[in-house]
Amino acid sequence: MTVSTIISHEPATGEELWRGAAGDVEEAVARARHAWPGWAAQPLANRIELVRRFANEVRRTAEDFATLVARETGKPLWEARAEIEGVINKVEISVRAYAERSAQRKLNSALKGTAAIRHKPHGVLAVLGPFNSPAFLPNSHILPALVAGNAVILKPSEKAPASGEFLVRCFHEAGLPEDVLQFVPGGPDTGQELVVHAGVDGVLFTGSVQTGIAINRRLAVNPGKIVALEMGGNNPLVVWNTPIVADAAVLVIQSAFSGAGQRCTAARRLIVQDAMYDALMDEVKRLADRIIVGAPFDEPSPFMGPVIDPATADALTDSFLYFLSQGGKAIKHMTRPKGDLPFISPGIIDVTAIKERPDVELFGPLLQVIRVSSFDEAIGEANNTRFGLCASLVGGSPEDYNRFWSNVRAGLINWNRSTNGSSSAAPLGGLGLSGNHRPSAFYAADYCAYPVASTELEQPRAMLGVGFRDA
Ligand code: NAD
């Protein structure tokens, strides 16, 4: 389906926030191709200087930017402010990551000359963004791509184009040539067009597994294009053998319901030791009942905003009903407190009795609970998914954590910490359906430039070896 007009709505009010025509992919690619050699030829110091000016520009406009992100996603203002802070902090992290991961290395030898490893940018990269952190996540691809010397075309989520536009404007205000980073709004069809375009050298994607697989299929015949897929998870959080129930319950709530559960790292499945079940679930339920669900600028501040749109809210409440119909036991019902607007209260359901649980990412505040009696069973349950983004163990001994760490398949494994809140100074990537082994965050530098190995001498110098007749 071709979408020619993109319209975003504020989830908390239903009002239209932004409207614009879908971007022209042909034109954007042509401009980017023309611009990138000049950008790539600039000294690294100039590119670094420019992204630092971008950080200053974001700092200058931070409150407006956060307000826009809060309006467009529905997330509470405090959370949107933290997102913008993350955008700023990403600048120095990207500079450091390039230095560490893409540094030039040289080995000099008098006889053999120089053996050098240097990195080159790919050329034109398309960044396809998701709706949930529409400033931070695309920026996490854009910054390393620019520092490495690529030109970038951002196609933001059709659900959050205004935030993407603001982000790109900050780069331009900072002095980045307009063709080096372009904003191309559009829906899935615009994304597809960019993915397959011969003038696009790589695709840096953050979004759902369905879209990631569709992109991978499209590019199966084109192995030369760099493709980084950051996708979702069906993340487990295991609570095991701890007397500190109150803190364990807080970690459960923060893991499952921060960002209204619309985080790739959110815990979807709480796996609980039988012996802890009653105490833990009483406390989790008590805390969940205290969660304030509200609009971004409400006072007192909400913990959770609405989900992104009414269709998503419907799908989540349907999933809750599905679990109930299959024998699930509601611990906390999911409700729609504000009629048709997509506010939903956190839902918690014990699904232990359901033998065939769908292994899908339910992207919202819906937590499934599974009781287990042994630690082996807990690890088995944690791995009972084709995804592999993140996993947390809360409680247990150092030996338990060692077993958990060794046996659980995920790119992010935490102990006594939330599944959320990963550090930008570390890699973030998943296994299985969560990614294609191109971790992002600190390691994004790896897919923004490719290594070139060279052996070099200033003059030709060579000697014949064996296998030649005398002259
Ligand atoms: P989505 O897959 O619906 O959309 C992501 C982007 O892809 C959008 O820009 C969309 O327009 C575009 N797109 C859609 N179909 C396309 C196609 N066929 N070809 C090319 N582009 C296409 O994802 P979403 O709903 O916006 O975001 C939520 C998802 O993102 C969740 O699954 C979440 O787990 C995931 N996510 C992952 C990470 C991570 O770092 N691993 C971080 C945040 C979000």
Side-chain angles (χ1 to χ4, degrees), residues 128-133 137 155-159 186-193 195 205-212 214-215 229-233 262-265 268 361 363 389 428-430 434 440:
L128 304 177
F131 73 80
N132 61 324
S133 291
L137 288 168
K155 193 212 78 63
S157 164
E158 59 279 20
K159 296 176 182 174
D189 50 322
T190 305
Q192 276 180 32
E193 220 184 315
V195 164
F205 167 80
T206 313
S208 64
V209 65
Q210 293 79 3
T211 308
I215 292 172
L229 303 173
E230 317 301 336
M231 302 181 285
Q262 298 176 116
R263 290 200 181 154
C264 57
T265 47
R268 309 291 172 204
E361 180 190 48
F363 203 60
L389 189 56
L428 171 62
S434 297
S440 188

Side-chain angles (χ1 to χ4, degrees), residues 323-348:
F323 285 132
L324 276 180
S325 74
Q326 297 300 301
K329 211 174 72 196
I331 294 169
K332 180 169 170 55
H333 277 280
M334 184 176 257
T335 59
R336 294 280 291 269
K338 296 194 185 176
D340 289 341
L341 290 171
F343 291 88
I344 43 183
S345 65
I348 308 176

Side-chain angles (χ1 to χ4, degrees), residues 22 61 411 438 467:
T61 54
R438 298 211 185 275

